[in-house]
Amino acid sequence: MRRCLTHAVVVLLAATGILVLAGAGAHADGPSCRTYDPLTGACVVKAIDTGAAPDTVDPVAGDGAEGDGPKDTGSGSPCYFDPSDNGYSAVPAGPVPCTSDLGYWSAALQCYIKVLDPQPDASDPAWDGRSPDDGGAVYGCHQPLPIDVSVYIWLQNPPPAAAAGPSPREVAEMAIDKMHLQAIEIGIVPEPRPDHVGIVGQPVWMWAADPGPATVGPVTASASAGAITVTATAQIHRITWTMGDGATIECRGPGTPFTDASAGTPSPDCGHVYKTSSAGRPGDKFTVTATSDWAIEWEGAGQTGTIRMDALQRSVQIAVGEAQVLVTS
């Protein structure tokens, strides 16, 4: 077990409250130090490959064909290293394996934890002035910096393993809950009123009547769990309209509101034309349903991902009739 570290690492570990033991006087089971920092007396060693590859994220299949927008990806590892939390930014944050031959990852201490076996002598400074009879134990704390860094720390109880906590994606879902996303209020002509009947062959316009952050985005929220903080940004990707006559219309965005000046012209981005009347349908009306499909980008714990969500929908009923031709003599 090594307790060799550089001056920069002294700052990092000291900020966590970890007892820093450097230079000469290493524990008997550690190697002798060959190179010392001339300013601090700390031992400088080269990085040692632990043989464990970083966690990878397997993409989850998206809900559409190629070219159908961003795919649902990223689960994220609950184990990550973020030196910037302690003011040390020379090493980039990112996921790390949750276990290695050096122990298990502690998000709170930002190092791999393993109890020393055998425990140090009672006179060893690693006990931080305590006696082995007081309980607790001395642990090795290894940080994956460019140099191999291990220190000894005394803990009353072992810290929880980071792998037991939520993944960054699960924290992103907590952030999404804070957004209070809603289905759109349907804007449609012909209007869903008893006295309003559309005509077969005439343009139908559809749009979001209440475009705002909660209905079409963008909206951003953050959530934290344990040592993980994730920020997510949601934006409507498309609105899928089922028109009640068997047709499905996909509109990229909220659509364009109808105005009196638009009468008789097709919608520029979200419209339909009925070829049959709604007569004979339940209530002699078509049921029109708008389903919102969101693309939500999240980032945190040195990781990123996308969540697709299409569970928000709203329906209205509209009447469409045949044009009546009046013949006079």
Side-chain angles (χ1 to χ4, degrees), residues 24-271:
H27 191 265
D29 64 355
S32 61
C33 191
R34 296 183 179 181
T35 305
Y36 291 89
D37 186 317
L39 296 178
T40 66
C43 180
V44 179
V45 294
K46 294 182 179 179
I48 297 176
D49 187 356
T50 65
D55 284 357
T56 57
V57 176
D58 293 327
V60 178
D63 64 344
E66 285 296 323
D68 192 33
K71 303 304 179 186
D72 194 303
T73 62
S75 59
S77 170
C79 305
Y80 76 100
F81 184 43
D82 189 1
S84 64
D85 286 346
N86 299 310
Y88 189 79
S89 59
V91 179
V96 296
C98 288
T99 60
S100 80
D101 58 350
L102 296 165
Y104 65 87
W105 185 254
S106 166
L109 296 177
Q110 290 283 282
C111 64
Y112 287 104
I113 293 292
K114 180 185 286 188
V115 64
L116 296 188
D117 185 17
Q119 287 283 284
D121 294 336
S123 60
D124 195 296
W127 287 99
D128 196 23
R130 299 171 180 84
S131 167
D133 296 333
D134 295 336
V138 177
Y139 295 78
C141 176
H142 173 87
Q143 291 187 315
L145 291 167
I147 61 171
D148 188 37
V149 177
S150 292
V151 297
Y152 298 154
I153 59 174
W154 175 88
L155 296 171
Q156 181 67 54
N157 298 298
S167 70
R169 182 188 176 98
E170 291 170 328
V171 181
E173 291 169 350
M174 298 177 192
I176 294 172
D177 288 341
K178 293 183 177 181
M179 297 175 183
H180 303 295
L181 302 180
Q182 305 170 26
I184 65 166
E185 291 290 344
I186 291 178
I188 190 168
V189 168
E191 297 178 44
R193 298 192 328 228
D195 60 343
H196 202 172
V197 179
I199 303 298
V200 171
Q202 290 296 305
V204 175
W205 289 50
M206 301 94 72
W207 69 95
D210 61 340
T215 55
V216 298
V219 57
T220 298
S222 297
S224 298
I228 295 178
T229 297
V230 171
T231 298
T233 299
Q235 176 73 58
I236 199 77
H237 172 60
R238 67 185 172 194
I239 300 174
T240 301
W241 300 79
T242 55
M243 304 306 298
D245 63 344
T248 298
I249 309 298
E250 292 185 356
C251 300
R252 306 287 175 160
T256 302
F258 177 85
T259 64
D260 290 342
S262 305
T265 63
S267 168
D269 51 9
C270 193

